[in-house]
Amino acid sequence: MAAGLNGVGIRACELAAAFSSVEEVTVLAPDIPHPEISAIWPGLRFQRGDAGSAQAVPGRDILLYGFATEPAAIRQFKRAGGTVGFDAIVWPLEYLTYQSVRAADDPDRAYARHLDAYLNRLRLAHRFLVASETEKKVLAGMLSIADHERVRSTDQSLDDLVAILPIGFSQTNENTANPASTSGKPAIGDAPVFVWNGGLWNHYTPIPAIDALAELDREGVDVRLWFLYPQRGTPTAAYRAAVAASESRPALSGKVRFINGGLSMAERVDVLRHATASVCLYPPHALWDLCPPMRLRETLVYHLPIIAAERGALGGIIAAEGCGATVRTLDAEAVAAAMWDCLDTSGREGMRAAAAGMAAAYSYEKHVPEIHMWLQGGSSP
């Protein structure tokens, strides 16, 4: 997305948009937002700085923070009398996959730094948001280790401490803010395009998607695979492997595209509106058993079919709702078969209809009024 907004940054802005219907909201950000971001959420107030720079009104102001907020800034806001809530949808298990940890001279020490900051965020929070019932159970275990005195002194249901807010979307988003396509002809051209609509992080496995594309190409099917998010910082092992896999197949030249320069907001909207399906592949991993990844959002916003591994929270949603196709294994034939399912016009339209039908349940606007009351001390949603 424009100026690097993605993942949990999108969730932050969309939660702010939803909360703004019931409360005055300020979005604290390291930089002034790109004009394309401001155009999506013109009613949001953005302030450059961190939680430590905000002036908390005791007993009224609430700071909702994520996995990258500095503990010192949270502590300062809390000391000023504000309520602090941790949107705990990123787990220490993910830190083990960070390229900076894997490539460190001392990976254990690098991981320990991330873990120490995470535990500080955990101990500082008055309340917690998680994305699923399974995540609530994991959080209960972590709190019983990291903050057992608080667990012992609260209601053992933990409903006073923890509320569930699924991975979802705001009804005010880039798709509704851009009602018309950028041109009469889709930006992606005439061939069907599958999109990898998230980062190439190490807990994902992109190579099976490239293998499947090669399988379809051998069968004479003209399709494309676009990786929509530019690589930032140190290239991950997953990114390097995907590039190498693509370059090793001359027949796929021009058919696999890495959007290294990023897309404008209008371009991204146009691509996602006209894409055939998104692809989200990963090996069996406990991380994905907890809740679906953020890229489910595009299925909800654009009614875009999604291909994912059968195991995991995302695979469970696809199986229950019919909004895409799942694969039991990551071999090329299995992924290619799932792509075939999405290429079939009737099948794809059924998936799109299913995505449209399930979207309302994931709207942040549906959940925010109860979450707002709970953050202010009311009963758990």
Side-chain angles (χ1 to χ4, degrees):
M1 251 190 193
L5 182 65
N6 54 43
V8 292
I10 297 174
R11 179 170 164 96
C13 287
E14 291 197 306
L15 283 178
F19 273 110
S20 68
S21 66
V22 295
E23 185 62 90
E24 181 181 342
V25 177
T26 298
V27 179
L28 299 172
D31 296 298
I32 300 300
H34 190 284
E36 289 185 335
I37 302 301
S38 300
I40 298 170
W41 298 290
L44 287 185
R45 176 175 178 259
F46 288 87
Q47 178 178 313
R48 188 172 184 174
D50 60 19
S53 64
Q55 299 299 314
V57 176
R60 184 189 186 285
D61 284 350
I62 300 170
L63 171 70
L64 189 60
Y65 61 90
F67 78 104
T69 307
E70 287 295 331
I74 302 166
R75 190 175 292 108
Q76 185 172 336
F77 189 92
K78 186 176 181 179
R79 284 174 177 167
T83 298
V84 293
F86 185 10
D87 189 22
I89 64 168
V90 175
W91 299 92
L93 188 60
E94 186 172 328
Y95 301 154
L96 293 170
T97 73
Y98 282 11
Q99 191 65 33
S100 60
V101 171
R102 289 186 172 187
D105 293 336
D106 187 341
D108 289 340
R109 179 174 293 182
Y111 174 75
R113 285 196 294 269
H114 286 291
L115 180 62
D116 182 63
Y118 175 87
L119 292 175
N120 276 315
R121 295 182 192 104
L122 202 70
R123 295 183 182 108
L124 284 166
H126 290 113
R127 300 208 165 190
F128 303 87
L129 293 177
V130 293
S132 70
E133 188 67 43
T134 303
E135 285 197 336
K136 181 179 178 180
K137 294 173 183 176
V138 174
L139 182 64
M142 297 195 71
L143 285 172
S144 67
I145 295 170
D147 199 0
H148 60 89
E149 291 183 359
R150 177 160 49 159
V151 173
R152 187 170 61 244
S153 63
T154 193
D155 180 85
Q156 295 301 287
S157 71
L158 299 190
D159 288 347
D160 290 342
L161 291 180
V162 188
I164 298 171
L165 180 61
I167 297 297
F169 71 105
S170 170
Q171 294 170 12
T172 303
N173 56 66
E174 76 281 3
N175 193 26
T176 57
N178 290 271
S181 292
T182 54
S183 68
K185 184 177 181 180
I188 60 177
D190 298 324
V193 173
F194 292 88
V195 295
W196 187 278
N197 59 316
L200 280 165
W201 310 118
N202 288 331
H203 40 288
Y204 293 102
T205 306
I207 292 178
I210 298 171
D211 291 341
L213 198 73
E215 185 76 14
L216 292 176
D217 185 70
R218 282 191 292 270
E219 296 177 16
V221 183
D222 185 21
V223 292
R224 306 285 189 270
L225 175 62
W226 286 16
F227 294 91
L228 297 188
Y229 278 72
Q231 177 70 45
R232 296 187 176 89
T234 303
T236 63
Y239 172 81
R240 296 196 304 271
V243 171
S246 173
E247 292 178 346
S248 70
R249 294 166 172 80
L252 297 185
S253 178
K255 296 187 176 185
V256 179
R257 182 181 176 188
F258 296 87
I259 312 293
N260 290 321
L263 296 169
S264 71
M265 186 66 69
E267 289 171 335
R268 187 176 186 278
V269 168
D270 206 39
V271 167
L272 290 170
R273 282 177 179 170
H274 295 100
T276 297
S278 65
V279 184
C280 181
L281 301 175
Y282 36 82
H285 198 301
L287 183 67
W288 297 129
D289 295 339
L290 304 182
C291 80
M294 276 293 301
R295 53 199 76 189
L296 171 65
R297 173 188 179 273
E298 276 70 49
T299 294
L300 302 169
V301 171
Y302 296 92
H303 307 156
L304 178 66
I306 185 168
I307 296 170
E310 182 179 270
R311 171 174 166 169
L314 178 56
I317 291 172
I318 295 170
E321 302 288 351
C323 58
T326 61
V327 293
R328 184 165 295 179
T329 68
L330 296 180
D331 60 72
E333 292 77 12
V335 179
M339 288 180 167
W340 266 119
D341 290 343
C342 296
L343 288 167
D344 176 73
T345 301
S346 176
R348 183 173 65 255
E349 290 308 309
M351 295 172 190
R352 291 179 63 86
M358 66 187 272
Y362 291 83
S363 165
Y364 290 144
E365 282 78 3
K366 175 181 183 295
H367 297 277
V368 151
E370 287 185 334
I371 295 290
H372 179 245
M373 292 180 61
W374 170 79
L375 284 169
Q376 292 179 312
S379 59
S380 178

